[in-house]
Amino acid sequence: MLIRRHAPQRRWPTWLIAGILLIYTPTVQAQHEDRPITLQAAIARSLEAGTHVRRAGARHEAALAASGPLSSEYIPSARVTASSTLSQYPLTVTPIREQGVFPPLDDQIQEVSFNLSWTVFDFGQGRAARRSAQALAEAAGVEYDLARMETVERVTTAYVHLAHLTSIRDAQQDRLDALNERRAELTALHDEGRVPDVELLRIAEVVLSAETDLRKTRNDVASVLLELSGTLNMPETLDIEDIALFPLVAAKASPAAVDPAASPRVTLARKTLEAARFSAREADRSSFPAIELFAAERLRAGSDFSFDDDLYGGIRLSVPLFQPRQQVLRQVERATVNEREEALIAAEREFANAARDLANREREAYERSVANEARVRHLEETYRIEAAAHEEGRLTLSDLLDTEGRLAAARGELAAAKALAITIRLQRDVLAGTLTPSSVLHLIGKEE
C-alpha cells in the first residue's frame, strides 16, 4: 500500500516577517497620509509640478541666461582653428621674411591658428542689446510670478467651488431623502383613500426635479475634480474623498484700492516696451562704425611638421555702407515699439476697468451674502411653522413644498455668494500682484 505524505508547509522565519512588516508599514502609512489632500499641500504641489509654472520658470531661466554677463558684446572672444591641406601644386609653407630668400614649398600644409577679437567701441549697439535682454529677463520674471499667482488662484478656486458644490450636494441629498420619506407616507395614506391622486403626482414631480438638481451638482463636482487633477499634474483623476474640504467663511473686507504700478500685467507690458525700445536702439546703432582689436598667432608647417610661428595683431574699423536688411530690421523694431506702447496703454486701461469691476462685484457678493443669510433664517423659521401646520392639517402639501424649495434655493444661493466673494478676492489679489499661499489661507479662514 502506497502512503502519500504531504510535504510540510514552508514557514517563513518570524524575524523575516517582522522585518517586512516594519519596512512595508511606513510605506502604506505614507501612501494614506497623501490623502486627503489639503489646500496647502495642493498649492505646494501645483507650484512644484504644475505645467503652467514650470513652463514659465523655464522661460525665465532662458531669459536670465540670455541677459547674463557672458552675453555682452564687449567680452573678448577667442577661437582656434586647425587645418590640413593637400594641394596639387606645392605651396609656400611660410611667408617671405627676407629679401631674396624664397620660403620652402610643400604640397601638404598643416596650420593651427589662434584668434582673439575684442569690440571696444560700437556707439552703444552692444550695450543696447544687453539692456534689451535684461528687460526681457525682468519681464520673464514677472511672467513667472504671475504664473505662480494664477496657479494658486486656480487651485484655491477649485477648492472653494468644491466646498460650495458639496454643501449644495449634501443639502440636495438631504432634501431628496426627506421628499422620498414624505412620498412614502403619502403613498400609504393614498392607499387608505385619505389622500387624492393629485398629491402623489405633485410630490413625484418635486422628487424628479430634486433628482435632476442632484445629478447636475454631482456632474459639476466631477468637472471641477477633473480640472484640479490637471492643474496638480496628477497621474489619475481625483475623487472627492481625496480632497480635504473646508467650510466656506463669510466674505472679508478687501483693501480699498489697488496700486496699478504693482500690477503684474501692467509691469509686464512696461518691461516689454522697455525691451522693444532698447532693441530699436540696437537696430539704429547698427549703421554706425565699430572699432575692434584683434590678434592672431598662426602655426604653419609642411609635411615634416616643423611649425613656423607667425604672430600679428592690430585694430580694425568696420563701417557699414549698404545694409538693406538692417534697414528693414530698424523699421520692424520701430513698429514694435509703437505696438508695445499701445499694449501698455491697453494694459493700464484694462487694469483700471478690472479693478472697478472686481470692486463692484465684491461689494455685490458681500451684500448678497448678508441678504441671503437673513433670508435663510426667515425661511427656516417659516418652514418650521408651516411643517407643524401641515402635520395638524392646517396647510396643504403644495404650500409646504413651495416653502421647502425656496429654503433649499436660499441655502444654495448663500453658499454661492460666499464662494463668489472668495473667488473675486482671489482675482483681485492676482490683479494687484499680492496673492501668496499665506494670504490664501488667511482669506479662507485657515491660518498656518
Side-chain angles (χ1 to χ4, degrees):
M1 181 176 179
L2 181 61
I3 300 176
R4 296 184 181 272
R5 297 182 180 273
H6 295 284
Q9 293 182 352
R10 185 177 181 180
R11 297 181 178 275
W12 292 92
T14 305
W15 60 269
L16 181 58
I17 297 176
I20 293 175
L21 290 176
L22 288 176
I23 295 174
Y24 180 71
T25 301
T27 304
V28 175
Q29 291 178 351
Q31 291 176 353
H32 285 288
E33 287 175 357
D34 293 338
R35 301 291 191 276
I37 304 175
T38 63
L39 176 59
Q40 299 94 313
I43 290 176
R45 178 181 175 85
S46 65
L47 294 179
E48 179 181 358
T51 304
H52 187 42
V53 174
R54 296 178 67 176
R55 289 177 58 190
R59 289 194 296 268
H60 187 208
E61 291 179 3
L64 286 176
S67 65
L70 296 181
S71 66
S72 175
E73 295 287 343
Y74 304 113
I75 295 180
S77 61
R79 184 178 71 254
V80 59
T81 58
S83 64
S84 177
T85 305
L86 183 63
S87 175
Q88 180 180 2
Y89 301 101
L91 302 174
T92 57
V93 177
T94 62
I96 299 176
R97 299 208 174 121
E98 296 182 19
Q99 186 174 4
V101 178
F102 196 79
L105 300 176
D106 203 327
D107 60 351
Q108 185 176 358
I109 303 298
Q110 322 295 335
E111 183 174 326
V112 179
S113 298
F114 299 91
N115 298 274
L116 178 66
S117 59
W118 181 17
T119 300
V120 295
F121 185 73
D122 61 356
F123 287 89
Q125 179 183 356
R127 186 179 301 108
R130 175 88 186 284
R131 294 289 299 275
S132 177
Q134 290 174 341
L136 288 177
E138 293 175 0
V142 174
E143 283 186 322
Y144 177 62
D145 294 337
L146 182 59
R148 290 175 61 87
M149 285 186 287
E150 289 175 343
T151 301
V152 172
E153 177 204 359
R154 190 176 297 115
V155 173
T156 308
T157 299
Y159 267 72
V160 170
H161 283 170
L162 288 174
H164 165 220
L165 292 173
T166 52
S167 65
I168 293 179
R169 182 201 61 186
D170 295 341
Q172 289 174 342
Q173 185 64 59
D174 293 341
R175 182 192 177 207
L176 183 60
D177 294 340
L179 288 173
N180 284 325
E181 291 178 2
R182 191 173 297 277
R183 182 167 64 172
E185 295 173 359
L186 289 176
T187 302
L189 295 175
H190 176 268
D191 294 340
E192 297 175 2
R194 300 167 57 185
V195 173
D197 295 342
V198 67
E199 294 292 336
L200 290 180
L201 293 175
R202 183 175 292 112
I203 195 170
E205 187 274 333
V206 175
V207 168
L208 288 175
S209 177
E211 289 175 345
T212 302
D213 294 340
L214 179 59
R215 190 178 303 110
K216 180 182 181 304
T217 302
R218 287 174 175 171
N219 291 335
D220 291 341
V221 170
S223 299
V224 176
L225 288 172
L226 183 62
E227 181 179 358
L228 179 61
S229 301
T231 303
L232 299 182
N233 199 17
M234 300 295 293
E236 73 285 343
T237 303
L238 295 170
D239 295 326
I240 192 61
E241 292 78 12
D242 298 327
I243 305 300
L245 299 176
F246 50 84
L248 295 176
V249 296
K252 297 182 180 181
S254 62
V258 180
D259 183 12
S263 173
R265 297 196 179 280
V266 175
T267 304
L268 179 61
R270 188 177 296 113
K271 289 299 179 181
T272 53
L273 172 59
E274 181 180 351
R277 286 173 174 169
F278 281 117
S279 295
R281 182 182 301 179
E282 176 192 2
D284 290 338
R285 300 299 171 87
S286 65
S287 59
F288 286 58
I291 299 176
E292 178 185 20
L293 299 179
F294 67 93
E297 183 175 8
R298 184 178 64 178
L299 302 178
R300 190 177 173 94
S303 56
D304 59 351
F305 286 92
S306 177
F307 282 92
D308 176 77
D309 187 9
D310 186 11
L311 177 64
Y312 60 93
I315 184 170
R316 182 182 296 118
L317 176 65
S318 175
V319 181
L321 296 179
F322 181 66
Q323 294 180 314
R325 193 167 182 272
Q326 288 300 118
Q327 178 64 27
V328 173
L329 179 61
R330 284 192 290 271
Q331 295 176 355
V332 171
E333 294 296 340
R334 289 168 186 167
T336 302
V337 170
N338 295 334
E339 186 270 333
R340 295 292 169 82
E341 288 176 348
E342 295 299 325
L344 176 58
I345 295 174
E348 292 174 341
R349 182 171 57 249
E350 291 173 359
F351 167 83
N353 294 336
R356 285 193 296 267
D357 179 64
L358 289 174
N360 294 334
R361 291 172 55 197
E362 186 176 12
R363 182 167 53 254
E364 178 186 359
Y366 175 76
E367 294 172 354
R368 185 186 304 175
S369 177
V370 172
N372 282 324
E373 285 180 351
R375 184 185 175 196
V376 167
R377 289 195 302 269
H378 296 160
L379 286 173
E380 286 176 344
E381 182 63 19
T382 302
Y383 181 77
R384 184 186 66 81
I385 295 173
E386 291 186 353
H390 178 264
E391 292 294 335
E392 297 174 359
R394 296 184 291 105
L395 188 71
T396 64
L397 177 62
S398 299
D399 294 335
L400 181 62
L401 292 178
D402 180 68
T403 302
E404 188 271 340
R406 288 189 288 118
L407 175 59
R411 286 171 175 170
E413 291 176 4
L414 175 59
K418 290 181 178 180
L420 179 62
I422 295 176
T423 55
I424 290 176
R425 177 64 184 275
L426 292 172
Q427 296 172 12
R428 185 179 173 91
D429 289 349
V430 171
L431 184 68
T434 58
L435 186 65
T436 62
S438 299
S439 67
V440 165
L441 298 180
H442 177 73
L443 178 61
I444 64 175
K446 295 177 69 66
E447 301 295 341
E448 289 183 311

